[in-house]
Amino acid sequence: MADKAPAEAIAEKTTRSITDALEYLEDKLKVSQDTRDKINGSIDRLQVILEEARDEAEDKTKVVRRQIRRHPGTSVAIAAAAGVVIGLLLSRRD
């Protein structure tokens, strides 16, 4: 259950930010009702897209966790190799 909280929080925060921005623009520009309907439709579509992205991220997280549980040694080796590569790349920047 704890895995859902960060994804949901990000989706809700993003939706809230977009909604706030669009409402601000709507107020400042004194847009027509037709434009308001389009804005609201866009908000609805964005919410659906964010929900689908959150669900997909949760599904991918479950798959990765399952693979880590099945192959813990390989997972540690991959993480170590990734750390070495990132370390080498970062050391080259200096």
Side-chain angles (χ1 to χ4, degrees):
M1 284 295 183
D3 297 333
K4 293 183 181 181
E8 287 177 6
I10 290 169
E12 288 173 16
K13 184 177 179 181
T14 303
T15 301
R16 193 170 37 250
S17 296
I18 292 168
T19 301
D20 291 345
L22 291 173
E23 287 175 358
Y24 172 80
L25 289 173
E26 182 180 278
D27 289 342
K28 292 297 177 186
L29 299 175
K30 307 285 186 216
V31 295
S32 68
Q33 184 61 43
D34 183 48
T35 303
R36 288 175 197 226
D37 292 341
K38 288 179 182 177
I39 288 171
N40 288 330
S42 295
I43 290 170
D44 293 341
R45 286 190 298 278
L46 285 170
Q47 286 175 331
V48 168
I49 290 168
L50 287 171
E51 288 172 12
E52 290 173 353
R54 184 194 67 223
D55 292 343
E56 186 174 332
E58 288 173 0
D59 291 343
K60 302 275 187 213
T61 301
K62 288 177 186 176
V63 169
V64 169
R65 285 178 182 227
R66 190 176 319 123
Q67 289 300 323
I68 290 171
R69 283 189 197 109
R70 287 183 183 163
H71 309 287
T74 303
S75 299
V76 170
I78 291 171
V84 168
V85 170
I86 291 171
L88 289 172
L89 291 173
L90 290 176
S91 68
R92 286 187 176 182
R93 292 179 73 195
D94 295 335

